[in-house]
Amino acid sequence: MSTTLPPAPGGNDSASKDPVLPDSGGTSLWKDAFYRLRRNPQAIAGAIIVVAFLLVAALAPVLAPYGGEDLPGRTHITPTHIPGPGEVPGFVLGLDRFGGDLLSKLIWGAQSSLLIGVVSTALGLAGGMLLGVLAGGFGGWVDNVIMRLVDILLSVPNLLLAVSIAAALGQGAYAIMIAIGVSQVPIFARLLRSSMISQRGADYILAAQTLGLSRGTITMSHLLPNSVGPVIVQATLTLATAVIDAAALSFLGLGGGRPQTAEWGRMLTYAQDELGIAPQLAFLPGLCIAITALGFTLLGESLREALDPKSRQK
């Protein structure tokens, strides 16, 4: 007589023995990327830095003890001494050479750097995507003309191009925004064009062509949405470059404004003569620039890794 063994607990389905994984089959690329970002310590560190920077910039009127151009401690400044951290009651980080509260200047400088970085990157992204869509979507002579223009812009070093444009437009924050934005246009244009060209032979594009859809419809409704991912990642990385370039242009005297205006690059400019007696005037703004750029870089690199299957960590 044969004996029938009872089924094992949990059934015979081998899938029940596997660990529970997120259902990636029905999720979009961006949802899957967000899931990977939450598990990436580098992405978390970058996000914390970026969020802190955004909060400080947005809440500058609340967080800063004084206004960006206020000089509440000018009576404490002497030709041979600038009070440092804790030397004068009420000024945590000390004073600058004009008598302004250094802590307030750093906080207001975050707002200025955020405005310049976001606006200049948005300008570069808009211009680059326009050229990239025309070149990648139409091809032919349109592609050749646009790419030759992009090659001319890329032949000039990025910072040198920005300096030339800012000098031609005149000193001021708007000149810096336009200069940095124009210098970023060829980067976004070439990246979007390359992404669109790589998608041209995809099955969904061939299916759309078979259905008789127009080139404009295929480009805007199918090709562009599936090609814009790398451009968004690059925009995150470019924000770090924009913050550094804005500080560099202000350091060179192209930012305009009054000498006591709160802006990290301008603060570095006027700290050169006081390095021997007040090194914190140069160290603290430089540290803010470096940490902010690091945050955007960490977040951008993590986003690139999450969206690119070739670089994903298993």
Side-chain angles (χ1 to χ4, degrees):
M1 183 186 343
S2 61
T3 304
T4 303
L5 297 176
N12 296 325
D13 189 1
S14 59
S16 63
K17 300 179 183 179
D18 296 333
V20 179
L21 296 175
D23 182 13
S24 59
T27 59
S28 66
L29 176 64
W30 289 102
K31 288 183 179 180
D32 183 59
F34 180 69
Y35 171 77
R36 294 178 182 275
L37 287 174
R38 290 186 301 171
R39 300 172 57 195
N40 189 341
Q42 177 177 297
I44 295 175
I48 291 175
I49 295 175
V50 170
V51 170
F53 170 67
L54 295 177
L55 289 177
V56 170
L59 300 177
V62 178
L63 298 177
Y66 302 95
E69 297 189 2
D70 292 348
L71 304 176
R74 56 183 178 274
T75 57
H76 300 281
I77 304 299
T78 65
T80 58
H81 179 67
I82 299 177
E87 293 187 25
V88 179
F91 302 101
V92 178
L93 297 180
L95 303 171
D96 64 5
R97 64 178 296 184
F98 303 104
D101 178 34
L102 185 56
L103 176 61
S104 300
K105 293 292 184 70
L106 293 175
I107 294 175
W108 284 104
Q111 188 179 81
S112 176
S113 298
L114 174 65
L115 179 62
I116 295 175
V118 170
V119 173
S120 61
T121 301
L123 292 174
L125 181 62
M129 288 188 65
L130 177 60
L131 296 180
V133 168
L134 293 176
F138 292 94
W141 67 270
V142 176
D143 184 18
N144 290 330
V145 171
I146 293 177
M147 284 301 102
R148 298 298 76 76
L149 175 61
V150 169
D151 290 340
I152 293 174
L153 294 176
L154 287 175
S155 65
V156 182
N158 188 59
L159 184 58
L160 179 59
L161 179 61
V163 170
S164 302
I165 296 174
L169 295 177
Q171 298 181 351
Y174 293 106
I176 289 182
M177 294 177 190
I178 295 174
I180 297 176
V182 171
S183 68
Q184 294 174 352
V185 166
I187 300 174
F188 292 117
R190 181 174 288 276
L191 182 60
L192 181 58
R193 171 194 178 261
S194 300
S195 182
M196 293 180 70
I197 290 177
S198 66
Q199 294 288 331
R200 281 181 182 175
D203 293 340
Y204 68 92
I205 297 297
L206 298 177
Q209 292 173 346
T210 303
L211 293 174
L213 298 180
S214 64
R215 175 180 293 183
T217 301
I218 294 175
T219 300
M220 301 307 297
S221 300
H222 300 280
L223 194 56
L224 178 59
N226 289 280
S227 304
V228 76
V231 181
I232 296 177
V233 174
Q234 183 62 40
T236 306
L237 294 170
T238 305
L239 276 170
T241 305
V243 172
I244 297 175
D245 288 347
L249 294 179
S250 294
F251 180 80
L252 295 174
L254 298 173
R258 303 171 64 186
Q260 65 267 29
T261 300
E263 203 280 322
W264 291 340
R266 186 180 289 107
M267 294 171 67
L268 288 174
T269 301
Y270 290 102
Q272 296 180 82
D273 297 334
E274 282 78 29
L275 288 177
I277 59 175
Q280 73 276 3
L281 298 182
F283 174 76
L284 292 178
L287 182 63
C288 291
I289 295 171
I291 292 177
T292 302
L294 175 63
F296 281 113
T297 301
L298 291 177
L299 186 59
E301 290 292 346
S302 301
L303 185 58
R304 172 182 294 173
E305 180 182 288
L307 289 173
D308 186 3
K310 296 180 181 179
S311 62
R312 289 177 180 174
Q313 297 177 353
K314 301 297 183 182

